[in-house]
Amino acid sequence: MKSDITIITGTDGKMLVDINMQIGNSCDTTAALALALLRAFGVACGAVETPPRIPESQQQDERLKGSQS
Amino acid sequence: MSRHYLVLTQKTLGASRVDMEALALELAKVNPAQAAVLRSLDFVALKKHAAKKAFDDAVRMLGIEGAAQYVNSDQWDTVSGVPEGADVIGVFKKGSVQLGICIDAHGSLASFANRYHHDNSDRAAWEEAFETQYRNHAVAMTLSIVAPGGGTVTQETLPDGVTVTQLRF
């Protein structure tokens, strides 16, 4: 699995950060550094966090497990 | 005889003042190694680099002139609008209307100009164009620094003005 970080910036300057990390790398620390850097550049004054997402493929696995038990 | 009053204006772009040590201390609670990375970076130089690229892009997009220095008017005996101790990035110019961009003495990005009291020039649009470009360059540079072991950063601005910046590694 490859990792990626996507930052979507609206015309009003608001940003949405999406982080998909390979197992072994920490999303939290990467996000913390990214936010600190954006604040140091002066382009981010705060952040809105969205709950962690489960990939669709894994969601299906979870549903299958649920139906078997 | 009429008198023309000019005012020197300066506006900080983005967050007004950033306390780097406070940011590093906050980050150290999560990851001390990354806090050390943050402390090692010369953010005045990084901001200057991003601002120069943003200025050049904005000049190209706006189709106006970009100058290296603010030109003062002899006619109205104006003094320089350049804030004291500032490092000028560039000056947007169209006819006699100018808007300077600088890194001020505190290391903050700022715009400056000599304005008439009733000013309805294009300066606000120039400032907005610059800020958008600066934000995009800052986001791309952030992702380049964050990437553990490097990676490829791509950036695309969609027709609706939304910009998508992605790092793959």
Side-chain angles (χ1 to χ4, degrees), chain B residues 21 41 58 68 73-74 76 89 127 133 141 151 153 163 165 167:
Chain B
E21 189 48 33
L41 297 169
S73 163
D74 294 334
W76 306 114
I89 301 293
E127 206 169 76
Q133 294 307 312
M141 286 172 76
V153 177
T163 302
T165 312
L167 164 74

Side-chain angles (χ1 to χ4, degrees), chain A residues 1-15 20-22 25 28-30 32-45, chain B residues 14-15 18 20 23 26-27 30-31 34 38 41 43 46-47 50 134-136 138-139 141-143 145-146 160-169:
Chain A
M1 177 192 160
K2 287 276 184 186
S3 302
D4 64 76
I5 303 172
T6 305
I7 299 181
I8 299 168
T9 314
T11 50
D12 57 359
K14 287 183 181 168
M15 296 176 192
N20 295 298
M21 296 290 269
Q22 205 165 10
N25 289 324
D28 289 347
T29 54
T30 303
L33 178 60
L35 180 59
L37 290 168
L38 290 171
R39 285 167 69 187
F41 272 113
V43 296
C45 303
Chain B
V18 179
M20 291 302 296
L23 266 184
E26 202 178 307
L27 189 60
V30 185
N31 190 323
Q34 287 184 339
L38 190 67
L41 297 169
F43 257 93
L46 288 173
K47 275 177 165 175
Y134 175 76
R135 203 162 43 228
N136 290 343
V139 167
M141 286 172 76
T142 291
L143 290 188
I145 296 166
V146 159
D160 60 1
V162 169
T163 302
V164 180
T165 312
Q166 188 171 58
L167 164 74
R168 287 176 186 276
F169 57 97

Side-chain angles (χ1 to χ4, degrees), chain B residues 19-145:
Chain B
D19 183 344
M20 291 302 296
E21 189 48 33
L23 266 184
L25 285 172
E26 202 178 307
L27 189 60
K29 290 177 193 165
V30 185
N31 190 323
Q34 287 184 339
V37 170
L38 190 67
R39 280 197 181 98
S40 72
L41 297 169
D42 179 353
F43 257 93
V44 173
L46 288 173
K47 275 177 165 175
K48 193 176 171 182
H49 183 64
K52 182 71 190 135
K53 287 168 101 173
F55 177 78
D56 291 343
D57 286 351
V59 164
R60 201 165 35 247
M61 284 172 61
L62 293 163
I64 58 173
E65 191 186 337
Q69 291 299 325
Y70 200 94
V71 179
N72 298 307
S73 163
D74 294 334
Q75 192 178 1
W76 306 114
D77 195 25
T78 57
V79 294
S80 171
V82 181
E84 203 177 322
D87 190 357
V88 178
I89 301 293
V91 179
F92 293 108
K93 205 173 170 191
K94 188 177 173 186
S96 62
V97 180
Q98 300 176 87
L99 177 75
I101 302 291
C102 68
I103 302 279
D104 72 12
H106 304 283
S108 296
L109 197 58
S111 68
F112 63 91
N114 288 322
R115 297 170 200 251
Y116 286 107
H117 182 61
H118 297 292
D119 183 286
N120 55 359
S121 65
D122 298 322
R123 287 191 185 103
W126 300 350
E127 206 169 76
E128 193 182 327
F130 172 78
E131 282 188 297
T132 301
Q133 294 307 312
Y134 175 76
R135 203 162 43 228
N136 290 343
H137 283 294
V139 167
M141 286 172 76
T142 291
L143 290 188
S144 312
I145 296 166

